[in-house]
């Protein structure tokens, strides 16, 4: 009997019915083919979706991504940058409000150099291809929140926050010791509170662009360097003992007693590596010792040569005495902490030797007059003043072998402070008023004394036009600081320059004599040539109160020969020719 669902296997013949079996097999093949095609279609759909998801996620920001509160999810980076820039633009100029304690401050973005790097802000969001389904899903739906990338220009933000820090600072009270006339006073430390500028800068950049909420900044504790224990130790070990009794220095055999009230302002204690270290201000201490220094300290005196009764005489050198202030400082800090009865010390001094000893002065060989020259000048008060002052500054100058004399260096600038008066000088070919008129008289006289001493002519400049009271072709002018008179002592002996000035009066000319003292090396002869190449003056019409009228005269050229011979000999050793060109002295008409 047949089963309800098909042939009964127990009654089935082993060989079976060939026709029925073939139809069933055909249906099975069709079913399996259908399943295969269905699988292929499903796989193709899944692959297409997978590829589409890969392609979409490969160049898009994850969905739900926000940068500085702006939704840029699902956008291509270029699009995200445009959207972010557009949305942030209105907020970039909004100030960032800061709250420090009870005070509020505003940070202007433009003035403080704040800005947003839009490209970097978008670039921080991960965008990339991945076949990992989890990464792909994250790119499609897993967007997050990101802060804008803030940039600062120069140190503008730091400078602004440092300004705020100064306003809100409650600096620590540093421990220390102060010395007064009445004693030592301690200052005990107290912690302060200050703004951490670096942390504040991080908070400002994190809050920018501002969302409207103020940024609260906390101040940090500012601990003092010196502790209360260190102040107590300094008072006990140094400050109180220092102010407990006077100290005594013996100066030249006489005691100088310094009371604490006098030396207190010279004492201090400075902080070093958490400790208070004693110190003494030697400048203040010198003022305390000033009365004693007058009798003790003495400058060394160089040996020199003076003319006494018409003959050179060596003036011996003298040692000087100076206070050794380095030793005073060290000894003073020991004395003020010593026990009573041991607070005395002889003033530390140092011997100062002169630069030129008596022996060296004798070896200069300044034993005789080797040259002398005198010039005369008409009366004028300013000439008396200026010639006398310049002669005074030159008198007694000693040139050692190889040394060069400079009139400008020796006399200095011609000013009222230096003792000079205003007088007539030559400037740009005309006479005018200025300080130092008449000093050229000193230059000419000194030049001629050096000329006849045979000294080397280093620099001299004749007047622009000839002045008949000077030797023609053998004179010199000076002007501070560009025109100088310089000559070199090219002998093996020292040279002493002596000046003798006789002031003029209404009835008598003034006179200046310059003598050179040394050991005679040369007999000098001067040969003056004839004048030649004459030129004629012009007429100038000048205006102004400073104009000085002048009757002009012509110019010319001239040569002067200096002939060198050994003392007492007739043989000429050498000759030197000096050429001088004098320009015309123009006629000046003042209007």
């Amino acid at each position: 009997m047949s089963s309800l669902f098909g042939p009964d296997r127990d009654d089935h013949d082993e060989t079976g019915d060939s026709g029925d079996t073939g139809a069933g097999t055909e249906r099975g093949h069709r079913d399996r083919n259908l399943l295969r095609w269905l699988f292929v279609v499903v796989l193709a759909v899944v692959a297409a979706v997978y590829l589409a998801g890969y392609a979409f996620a490969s160049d898009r920001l994850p969905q739900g991504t926000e940068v500085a509160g702006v939704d840029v999810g699902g956008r291509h980076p270029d699009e995200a940058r445009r959207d972010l820039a557009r949305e942030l633009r209105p907020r970039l100029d909004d100030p960032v409000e800061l709250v420090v304690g009870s005070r509020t401050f505003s940070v202007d973005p433009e003035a403080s150099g704040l800005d947003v790097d839009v490209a970097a802000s978008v670039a921080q969001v991960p965008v990339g291809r991945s076949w990992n389904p989890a990464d792909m899903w994250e790119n499609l739906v897993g967007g997050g929140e990101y802060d804008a990338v803030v940039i600062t220009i120069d140190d503008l933000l730091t400078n602004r926050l440092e300004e705020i820090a100064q306003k809100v600072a409650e600096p620590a009270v540093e421990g220390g010791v102060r010395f007064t006339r009445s004693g030592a006073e301690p200052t005990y430390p107290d912690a302060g509170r200050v703004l951490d500028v670096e942390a504040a800068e991080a908070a400002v950049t994190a809050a920018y662009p501002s969302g409207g909420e103020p940024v609260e900044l906390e101040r940090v504790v500012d601990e003092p360097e010196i502790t209360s224990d260190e102040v107590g130790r300094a008072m006990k070990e140094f400050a109180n003992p220092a102010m407990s009794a006077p100290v005594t220095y013996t100066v030249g055999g006489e005691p100088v007693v310094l009371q604490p009230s006098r030396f207190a302002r010279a004492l201090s204690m400075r902080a070093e590596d958490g400790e208070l270290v004693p110190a003494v201000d030697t400048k203040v201490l010198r003022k305390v010792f000033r009365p004693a220094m007058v009798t003790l300290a003495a400058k060394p005196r160089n040996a020199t040569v003076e003319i006494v009764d018409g003959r050179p005489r060596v003036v011996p050198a003298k040692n000087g005495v100076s206070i050794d202030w380095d030793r005073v400082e060290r000894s003073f800090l020991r004395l003020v902490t010593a026990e009573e009865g041991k607070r005395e010390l002889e003033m530390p001094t140092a011997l100062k030797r002169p630069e030129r000893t008596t022996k060296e002065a004798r070896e200069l060989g300044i034993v005789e007059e080797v040259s002398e020259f005198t010039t005369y000048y008409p009366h004028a008060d300013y000439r008396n003043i200026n010639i006398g002052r310049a002669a005074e500054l030159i008198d007694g100058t000693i040139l050692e072998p190889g040394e060069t004399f400079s009139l400008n260096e020796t006399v200095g600038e011609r000013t009222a402070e230096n003792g000079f008066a205003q007088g007539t000088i030559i400037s740009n070919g005309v006479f005018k008023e200025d300080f130092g008129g008449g000093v050229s008289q000193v230059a000419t006289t000194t030049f001629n004394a050096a000329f006849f001493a045979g000294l080397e002519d280093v620099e001299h400049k004749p007047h622009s036009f000839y002045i008949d009271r000077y030797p023609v072709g053998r004179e010199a002018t000076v002007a501070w600081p560009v025109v100088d008179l310089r000559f070199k002592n090219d002998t093996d002996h020292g040279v002493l320059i002596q000046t003798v000035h006789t002031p003029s009066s209404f009835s008598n000319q003034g006179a200046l004599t310059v003598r050179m003292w040394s050991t005679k090396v040369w007999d000098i002869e001067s040969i003056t040539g004839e004048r030649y190449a004459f030129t004629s003056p012009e007429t100038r019409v000048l205006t102004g109160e400073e104009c000085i009228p002048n009757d002009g005269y012509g110019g010319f050229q001239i040569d002067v020969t200096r002939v060198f011979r050994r003392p007492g000999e007739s043989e000429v050793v050498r000759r030197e020719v000096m050429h001088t060109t004098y320009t015309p002295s123009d006629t000046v008409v003042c209007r």
Side-chain angles (χ1 to χ4, degrees), residues 500-523:
V500 179
H501 176 231
T502 303
S504 67
S505 65
F506 288 105
S507 57
N508 294 299
Q509 292 189 100
L512 176 66
T513 299
V514 176
R515 298 187 181 99
M516 300 285 175
W517 297 81
S518 183
T519 294
K520 195 168 183 62
V521 175
W522 300 109
D523 281 340

Side-chain angles (χ1 to χ4, degrees), residues 254-299:
E254 296 293 328
V256 177
V257 181
L258 301 180
Q259 297 292 338
S261 59
R262 291 186 62 195
F263 63 69
R265 58 196 180 99
L267 289 176
S268 64
M269 300 197 77
R270 60 175 181 263
E272 287 186 7
D273 299 327
E275 295 183 352
L276 290 174
V277 179
V280 58
D281 187 334
T282 54
K283 290 184 179 179
V284 175
L285 205 59
R286 290 185 190 199
K287 294 180 181 179
V288 175
F289 279 109
R290 183 170 293 164
M293 289 172 61
V294 173
T295 58
L296 175 66
K299 293 182 179 180

Side-chain angles (χ1 to χ4, degrees), residues 133-147:
D135 292 341
M136 189 180 298
W137 181 257
E138 182 68 22
N139 277 338
L140 290 173
V141 300
E145 296 181 357
Y146 297 86
D147 292 329

Side-chain angles (χ1 to χ4, degrees), residues 337-358:
T337 54
E339 299 177 1
E340 191 169 356
K342 297 182 179 180
R343 298 165 71 98
E344 299 180 5
L345 187 69
E346 186 172 351
M347 173 66 77
T349 59
L351 183 66
K352 297 186 70 174
R353 299 188 181 278
E355 295 181 2
R356 184 190 298 124
T357 65
T358 304

Side-chain angles (χ1 to χ4, degrees), residues 33-44:
N33 288 336
L34 182 60
L35 290 173
R36 289 191 190 98
W37 281 106
L38 183 60
F39 177 76
V40 170
V41 171
V42 171
L43 184 62

